[in-house]
Amino acid sequence: MTNINDGFAVAKYNGHTLLAGTDIHINEKNLIGFQYFFRGSQSNKRNINETSITKEENKIAKEISKYTNPHRSLHSGSINYNYIRNENSNLRLIVDYAGISNKESNHINELNKSENFLLLTDIHNQAKYDIYAGSLNYHFFVSDGTKIRFRFSIFSCR
């Protein structure tokens, strides 16, 4: 059996990234912070392969053309708040969000040259996730120096 494969690929990529954040001191006891992150990309890729398979006297010649077009994006945001009541007491609130989206299309043309048969295949994939998280922390010291801490956290993914 003999297998001969010859092919080439052409690809294009376009991506963007953005990061922004700030802390705002409302006063000496109150601080609020914001942060945002984005990353997105889009690409196009085309593969063309010529394949020839020979087994004994039977020969199969194929031409396979595949076009792939993925789109990906990530958005992430965070807000945090810090309240310093005094040197022995602190409250912190953090809220986070992340959104992820992936879409991809594949178009495949498979031409069997030996039997003059064309097979067309389209595949579409999509995934999307939204993630939420938050936490609230409060600690203080009582008169004998014992540290008391309260913590509440929540997480959700859909």
Side-chain angles (χ1 to χ4, degrees), residues 55-87:
K55 185 175 181 182
E56 298 175 0
E57 293 185 18
N58 296 325
K59 182 178 179 180
I60 299 172
K62 290 185 179 183
E63 179 181 299
I64 301 170
S65 176
K66 180 179 177 184
Y67 178 74
T68 305
N69 186 11
H71 296 264
R72 293 179 170 85
S73 67
L74 165 66
H75 295 271
S76 174
S78 181
I79 300 172
N80 64 73
Y81 171 72
N82 197 17
Y83 171 65
I84 303 168
R85 187 170 153 228
N86 57 44
E87 66 274 357

Side-chain angles (χ1 to χ4, degrees), residues 9-68:
V10 177
K12 293 180 185 177
Y13 177 81
N14 186 11
H16 303 282
T17 301
L18 171 67
L19 175 62
T22 188
D23 285 329
I24 300 170
H25 294 269
I26 299 168
N27 56 40
E28 62 189 37
K29 293 186 175 197
N30 293 279
L31 170 72
I32 190 165
F34 301 95
Q35 185 174 9
Y36 175 75
F37 176 79
F38 168 76
R39 174 171 282 160
S41 67
Q42 178 180 353
S43 61
N44 298 309
K45 184 176 180 183
R46 183 169 186 194
N47 294 328
I48 297 179
N49 290 305
E50 296 252 356
T51 302
S52 176
I53 301 170
T54 306
K55 185 175 181 182
E56 298 175 0
E57 293 185 18
N58 296 325
K59 182 178 179 180
I60 299 172
K62 290 185 179 183
E63 179 181 299
I64 301 170
S65 176
K66 180 179 177 184
Y67 178 74
T68 305

